[in-house]
């Protein structure tokens, strides 16, 4: 039996597969603590649940507009106006079954075979594979030695005649870094000068910890707006990963192209989930703030506990809900091996940095309970100390 070259060239999502492995081990009765999935442990906001229940009662059980119900797209426009002062119209917004398909659609709409897209490493696992699915080639700008932020010099070096775009993810998964205004200005100016698209993935925008502040790139350089595709959604901000609702905002020409693709893929995202997302975007600001405050407390605890483990190093992340830990100073400096041993010996699941183009590091999500964090980091300490003997 033959499989396509396309599928054979795609690596499975490490975040998804490791968390599946952890879930399977747990189902076998092993005392697994998972730090692998970037998924808030909170329930969905009441306003989202209520809106979904009402939608079921009203019988909202049919196909919706391909680009999403007008109420949700209007609510997203209102949100962008109140949060960032940005003006978008509903035909500049598309709703999909999560942010992931939107990134895929954007890549498919922009990238021809052999075209290049700049990725800043460490980079979230799906960018590179989705780019490959579109026939594109990654130009990786490593930021590990430059404070997790790209420099202009390295960015310019990566751009050539075949480059069509840049992916920016702030707050970053996996590092939690937030791009400051100067970096965003530099990227926007380069994109304008070189005539490039920017895919601006701000799905973690609600999770910034003082004194850091999340900034939208269009607020820094307004002229960049006609080349930016914003990616956002309800998965992270409202702890609604399972509902599968994401939205993208951008010039209507690109949104229409993404919609064309979507007519042949999913048609529309689930009608009930769209209503739930509407409820969240319209009425869950307080819930989001509570979650943010809780993540901030957990961040403090996990960072302190890791820094107390000799051989491990972690920098305090400014946003999102991940810590990116340097394991090169411990007796098992290979991140793949480290994660495998940690899971098998201590039942603690983490994702190797290699999956994010950053070997020597591991990613832990602290979107789990404080008890998990305390017990998990205790086990990790025992694990690393045990390696020394
Ligand atoms: N972008 C980033 C940076 C992510 O971490 C994720 C993870 N979920 C996504 C996009 C996709 O989000 P969704 O679950 O809405 O598809
Ligand atoms: N984005 C989350 C993560 O990085 C969820 C899994 C995925 O979609 O990759 O863990």
């Amino acid at each position: 039996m033959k499989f396509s070259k396309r599928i054979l060239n795609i690596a499975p999502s490490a975040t998804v597969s490791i968390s599946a492995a952890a879930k399977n081990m747990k189902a076998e009765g092993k005392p697994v603590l998972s730090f692998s999935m970037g998924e808030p442990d909170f329930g969905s906001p009441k306003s989202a649940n209520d809106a979904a229940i009402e939608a079921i009662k009203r019988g909202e059980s049919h196909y919706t507009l391909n680009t999403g119900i007008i109420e949700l797209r209007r609510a997203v426009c209102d949100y962008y106006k109140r949060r960032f002062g940005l003006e978008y119209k509903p035909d500049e917004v598309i709703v999909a079954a999560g942010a992931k398909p939107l990134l895929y659609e954007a890549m498919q709409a922009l990238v021809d075979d052999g075209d290049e897209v700049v990725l800043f490493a460490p980079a979230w696992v799906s960018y590179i594979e989705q780019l490959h699915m579109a026939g594109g080639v990654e130009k990786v700008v490593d930021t590990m030695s430059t404070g997790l932020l790209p420099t202009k010099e390295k960015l310019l070096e990566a751009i050539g005649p075949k480059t069509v775009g840049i992916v920016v993810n702030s707050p970053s998964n996996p590092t939690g870094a937030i791009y400051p205004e100067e970096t965003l200005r530099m990227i926007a100016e380069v994109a304008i000068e070189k005539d490039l698209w920017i895919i601006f993935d701000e799905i973690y925008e609600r999770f910034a910890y003082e004194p850091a502040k999340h900034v939208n790139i269009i607020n820094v350089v307004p002229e960049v707006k006609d080349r930016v595709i914003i990616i956002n959604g309800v998965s992270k901000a409202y702890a609604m990963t399972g509902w599968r609702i994401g939205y993208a905002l951008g010039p209507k020409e690109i949104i229409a192209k993404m919609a064309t693709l979507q007519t042949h893929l999913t048609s529309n995202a689930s009608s009930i989930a769209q209503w739930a997302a509407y409820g969240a975007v319209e009425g869950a600001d307080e819930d989001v703030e509570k979650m943010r405050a809780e993540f901030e407390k957990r961040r403090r605890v996990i960072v302190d506990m890791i820094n107390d483990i000799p051989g491990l190093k972690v920098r305090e992340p400014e946003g999102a809900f991940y810590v990116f830990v340097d394991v090169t100073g411990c007796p098992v400096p290979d991140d793949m091996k480290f994660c495998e041993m940690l899971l098998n010996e201590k039942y603690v699941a983490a994702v190797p940095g290699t999956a994010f183009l950053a070997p020597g590091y591991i990613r832990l999500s602290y979107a789990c309970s404080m008890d998990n964090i305390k017990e998990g980091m205790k086990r990790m300490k025992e694990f690393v100390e045990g390696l020394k003997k």
Side-chain angles (χ1 to χ4, degrees), residues 107-263:
M107 298 270 192
Q108 292 288 329
L110 302 177
V111 176
D112 274 319
D113 280 343
D115 282 350
E116 295 169 355
V117 171
V118 176
L119 301 181
F120 299 130
W124 177 51
V125 294
S126 292
Y127 297 140
I128 196 162
E129 299 302 332
Q130 293 194 343
L131 176 61
H132 292 170
M133 291 182 220
V137 178
E138 65 279 12
K139 295 298 277 183
V140 177
V141 172
D142 189 46
T143 66
M144 289 309 284
S145 58
T146 51
L148 302 178
L149 301 173
T151 61
K152 184 170 184 180
E153 198 190 355
K154 284 198 183 175
L155 175 56
L156 287 174
E157 250 172 51
I159 295 171
K162 290 190 161 175
T163 312
V164 295
I166 306 172
V167 178
V168 181
N169 173 214
S170 176
S172 154
N173 175 5
T175 67
I178 290 189
Y179 284 25
E181 281 194 31
E182 340 45 293
T183 306
L184 293 173
R185 177 169 297 108
M186 179 280 285
I187 296 169
E189 286 171 359
V190 168
I192 292 171
E193 187 195 319
K194 302 284 181 184
D195 193 17
L196 304 175
W197 285 97
I198 295 174
I199 295 178
F200 190 70
D201 182 348
E202 59 176 354
I203 196 151
Y204 297 98
E205 48 111 356
R206 298 302 295 265
F207 302 127
Y209 310 112
E210 300 230 335
K213 264 201 163 57
H214 169 77
V215 192
N216 182 294
I217 195 164
I218 302 169
N219 285 144
V220 186
V221 179
E223 311 85 80
V224 84
K225 188 174 179 221
D226 61 2
R227 56 182 70 248
V228 173
I229 303 161
I230 295 174
I231 304 288
N232 204 338
V234 298
S235 298
K236 314 292 168 168
Y238 305 100
M240 289 173 67
T241 47
W243 294 93
R244 308 306 302 130
I245 295 292
Y247 23 85
L249 300 88
K252 68 171 190 272
E253 294 74 18
I254 176 75
I255 296 298
K257 298 279 184 292
M258 291 163 67
T260 301
L261 184 58
Q262 196 162 282
T263 59

Side-chain angles (χ1 to χ4, degrees), residues 268-346:
N268 58 264
S270 150
S271 55
I272 304 301
Q274 290 188 60
W275 281 103
Y278 168 79
V281 176
E282 287 281 283
D285 270 353
E286 270 177 33
D287 306 66
V288 176
E289 181 42 35
K290 273 192 208 137
M291 292 189 260
R292 198 203 60 79
E294 181 58 31
F295 286 143
E296 191 160 12
K297 283 190 212 145
R298 296 177 188 180
R299 177 186 70 143
R300 187 61 298 122
V301 171
I302 199 165
V303 165
D304 288 350
M305 288 189 80
I306 294 170
N307 277 330
D308 192 38
I309 306 177
L312 300 189
K313 269 195 291 192
V314 69
R315 164 191 166 283
E316 185 159 284
E318 294 108 42
F321 37 63
Y322 304 106
V323 281
F324 208 50
V325 184
D326 181 350
V327 299
T328 54
C330 87
V332 181
D334 176 325
D335 54 303
M336 307 279 280
K337 187 98 200 115
F338 187 101
C339 288
E340 193 189 314
M341 289 171 71
L342 184 64
L343 183 59
N344 290 332
E345 292 176 22
K346 292 288 174 190

Side-chain angles (χ1 to χ4, degrees), residues 13-16 19 36-39 100 124-126 173 203-204 236 241 244 321-322 351 356 363 365:
S13 162
T15 45
V16 174
S19 72
S36 57
M37 195 69 151
E39 166 162 69
K100 214 179 254 189
W124 177 51
V125 294
S126 292
N173 175 5
I203 196 151
Y204 297 98
K236 314 292 168 168
T241 47
R244 308 306 302 130
F321 37 63
Y322 304 106
V351 186
F356 303 94
R363 188 197 78 174
S365 157

